[in-house]
Amino acid sequence: MEIRCNATFRSIAATDRRSRRHGDGPPFARSPAHAPGVRTPRAPSRQSINGDCDRSQEFGNRNEAPTAVDMDKDHALEEMMGKLGDFGRYQCFQFILHILAAMTAGMHMLSLVTVAAVPEHRCWIEGLDTNESIAAWNSTEVLAAIPSTLDGRIHSCYMFNEFNETVKCSKWVFDTQYRSSSRAIEWDFVCDKRWMGAVAQTVYMLGVFTGAVVLGGMADKYGRKTIFCWSGVLQLIFGVVVAFIPEYWSFLVIRYLYAIFGSAGSYITGFVLTMEIVGSSKRTACGVAFQAAFALGIMLVAGWGALIDNRQILQIVYGLHSLLLIPHIWIMDESPRWLWAQGRAKEAVDIVQRALKFNRSDEVLDKAQLVSKGKVEASKDTDAPSAGTMDLFKTPNLRIKTINVCFCWSQDTIYGTRDIDQRYLKRKVQAANVN
């Protein structure tokens, strides 16, 4: 690079000397006196040339600066996508297909709230409670057998033994007024075993994290639609199977797999698909709509939970919502941008042409020319390095934005669980006061 820059300087200097020798007027000199106000370019100094060469070398270290061919290829893709408009009938239809994944993701993520709900509970009192009948919670015998909390309610985790000593419960009676069936009732997710319910949800969120990292990368490699559709099928399977798991540790394993595909796979790829087909002016609105659909899924958790008491049927209903994603295998399109980047320009052009027809546009694409440019791009990008997660931290601007987004999400999680933590701590304080 340095040799080429020095050669450039010598060539320009030699041209200047020849021009002065023959009286032709130097090409890089002051403007002649008879043409005031008009200036021709000065001869560039070695310093300015070296500065340009340094910048060129900097671009060279970044796999060279974009060439005219590269700019033409990018222009070809953007011009092709621009013919669709920002949000036509085609984009609206595909967006509706994508957003269904956000709704199912929200439902699956919080399904444990009802499936493993923890009703009000108290200790089982031998002699008072039997399999046939349960003593009234406010009966004199129950109040005498169970200590009271600071707020005057009977304790959930302690009782008096025959020596009038406070001991922990080994069996519980649950209030079935609102829910008579749940994983918490079956496996006693209460008192000292309350952690089991928390771990079940933690494992689910770990699965969401795994799906975001693994399936996100796979979507770049194998295609957005491929990962979306496989995730839809697998979340349907795991969403139903998890209802029949009879043992806790197996339940955690299925919950983990359920999370990978239920709240990560289709949701993330659906969001990316939408961002890659709608115009820039509509991306913010579509992103907000995705979050609204996620919230709708959370509301459906409560709605179905109020209508269905049996936890097994309830979980099956949650899982069957993934049937909404199965028709996507046939009616949803792959991202034209992803296809173009993979060198599959013909498929990308075909999809955009169908989209134009769906939008009732008379525009006809020059398929041969676009496919040719796509092939050129594919051949030049073969050796280009792929981007990774660490690229988010390479430049100061992107690094600050990445850390900011991570911080905001972490704080949202903390505030979302704060009330749960406060109730849990309150129970621990009450237990300590009883002792």
Side-chain angles (χ1 to χ4, degrees):
M1 181 67 71
E2 184 178 356
I3 294 174
R4 186 165 65 235
C5 292
N6 289 335
T8 301
F9 181 83
R10 288 196 298 270
S11 175
I12 293 175
T15 303
D16 185 53
R17 286 195 299 271
R18 285 195 302 270
S19 299
R20 291 180 183 277
R21 187 181 308 121
H22 295 289
D24 295 333
F28 301 102
R30 295 179 181 272
S31 58
H34 61 272
V38 179
R39 299 181 65 87
T40 56
R42 290 179 180 270
S45 65
R46 177 180 290 273
Q47 181 179 4
S48 65
I49 293 176
N50 287 342
D52 292 338
C53 291
D54 290 340
R55 287 189 291 273
S56 177
Q57 187 170 6
E58 180 182 353
F59 279 118
N61 292 335
R62 300 178 191 170
N63 300 321
E64 300 299 335
T67 64
V69 177
D70 294 327
M71 296 292 288
D72 185 56
K73 292 179 301 186
D74 292 339
H75 177 72
L77 174 62
E78 295 304 324
E79 183 180 17
M80 180 178 71
M81 297 300 297
K83 294 181 185 297
L84 290 175
D86 279 4
F87 199 78
R89 295 173 71 248
Y90 172 79
Q91 290 101 318
C92 181
F93 175 69
Q94 294 292 315
F95 171 64
I96 292 173
L97 296 179
H98 303 158
I99 204 172
L100 290 175
M103 185 270 292
T104 59
M107 178 182 299
H108 296 319
M109 184 174 289
L110 291 187
S111 61
L112 210 62
V113 171
T114 52
V115 172
V118 183
E120 289 293 324
H121 51 280
R122 64 167 176 83
C123 295
W124 175 282
I125 307 299
E126 292 292 342
L128 294 178
D129 301 313
T130 64
N131 293 330
E132 288 76 24
S133 63
I134 301 296
W137 286 47
N138 59 351
S139 65
T140 305
E141 294 83 359
V142 170
L143 295 176
I146 300 177
S148 300
T149 62
L150 295 177
D151 56 4
R153 304 170 64 185
I154 60 175
H155 207 283
S156 301
C157 302
Y158 291 90
M159 58 181 291
F160 294 122
N161 61 12
E162 61 271 19
F163 304 107
N164 205 32
E165 297 173 339
T166 303
V167 295
K168 293 182 179 180
C169 308
S170 59
K171 192 175 180 180
W172 289 266
V173 173
F174 292 90
D175 184 358
T176 58
Q177 179 179 0
Y178 301 107
R179 185 151 300 280
S180 62
S181 172
S182 79
R183 290 290 190 182
I185 296 175
E186 293 179 11
W187 291 335
D188 293 333
F189 289 168
V190 295
C191 301
D192 290 344
K193 296 168 65 177
R194 194 177 183 85
W195 62 269
M196 298 175 71
V199 167
Q201 186 62 27
T202 301
V203 167
Y204 189 94
M205 299 310 298
L206 180 62
V208 174
F209 174 80
T210 303
V213 174
V214 176
L215 297 183
M218 292 179 67
D220 289 336
K221 184 175 182 180
Y222 301 108
R224 285 81 164 95
K225 180 180 177 179
T226 301
I227 300 302
F228 184 104
C229 294
W230 273 110
S231 295
V233 172
L234 291 173
Q235 69 176 253
L236 171 64
I237 294 172
F238 289 121
V240 174
V241 168
V242 74
F244 300 95
I245 303 300
E247 186 265 330
Y248 178 72
W249 299 107
S250 302
F251 174 75
L252 292 184
V253 173
I254 300 301
R255 284 279 298 176
Y256 177 74
L257 298 173
Y258 180 28
I260 291 175
F261 304 105
S263 293
S266 295
Y267 178 45
I268 293 174
T269 51
F271 183 87
V272 172
L273 279 164
T274 291
M275 294 300 108
E276 290 182 344
I277 64 168
V278 302
S280 58
S281 67
K282 302 299 181 183
R283 286 172 185 165
T284 298
C286 289
V288 172
F290 253 82
Q291 303 308 314
F294 189 90
L296 174 62
I298 294 175
M299 289 188 285
L300 286 175
V301 170
W304 285 117
L307 295 174
I308 303 173
D309 180 60
N310 185 282
R311 64 93 186 158
Q312 194 171 66
I313 297 176
L314 182 60
Q315 179 59 58
I316 292 173
V317 169
Y318 291 151
L320 289 178
H321 278 75
S322 298
L323 284 171
L324 294 172
L325 306 182
I326 302 303
H328 291 53
I329 298 172
W330 299 280
I331 62 177
M332 189 180 77
D333 287 331
E334 179 59 271
S335 167
R337 292 182 182 274
W338 181 84
L339 290 169
W340 185 276
Q342 300 300 310
R344 297 161 62 178
K346 180 179 181 300
E347 297 174 62
V349 175
D350 288 340
I351 289 175
V352 174
Q353 187 63 70
R354 289 201 308 270
L356 287 169
K357 184 177 180 181
F358 196 92
N359 283 348
R360 297 174 181 172
S361 172
D362 296 330
E363 187 81 34
V364 178
L365 299 176
D366 189 341
K367 184 174 180 179
Q369 182 183 18
L370 290 170
V371 170
S372 175
K373 291 180 178 179
K375 288 181 178 179
V376 171
E377 180 175 3
S379 63
K380 285 193 172 289
D381 289 345
T382 302
D383 299 327
S386 59
T389 304
M390 296 309 298
D391 289 315
L392 295 172
F393 300 92
K394 283 188 175 179
T395 63
N397 184 35
L398 193 56
R399 181 163 56 246
I400 291 173
K401 290 180 178 179
T402 301
I403 294 173
N404 186 24
V405 170
C406 293
F407 176 77
C408 290
W409 274 103
S410 65
Q411 294 305 302
D412 181 67
T413 304
I414 291 172
Y415 282 112
T417 58
R418 182 181 58 180
D419 292 339
I420 298 175
D421 293 338
Q422 287 178 344
R423 290 196 296 269
Y424 178 73
L425 289 174
K426 182 179 178 181
R427 292 178 184 273
K428 297 295 286 184
V429 171
Q430 292 173 346
N433 289 330
V434 169
N435 292 332

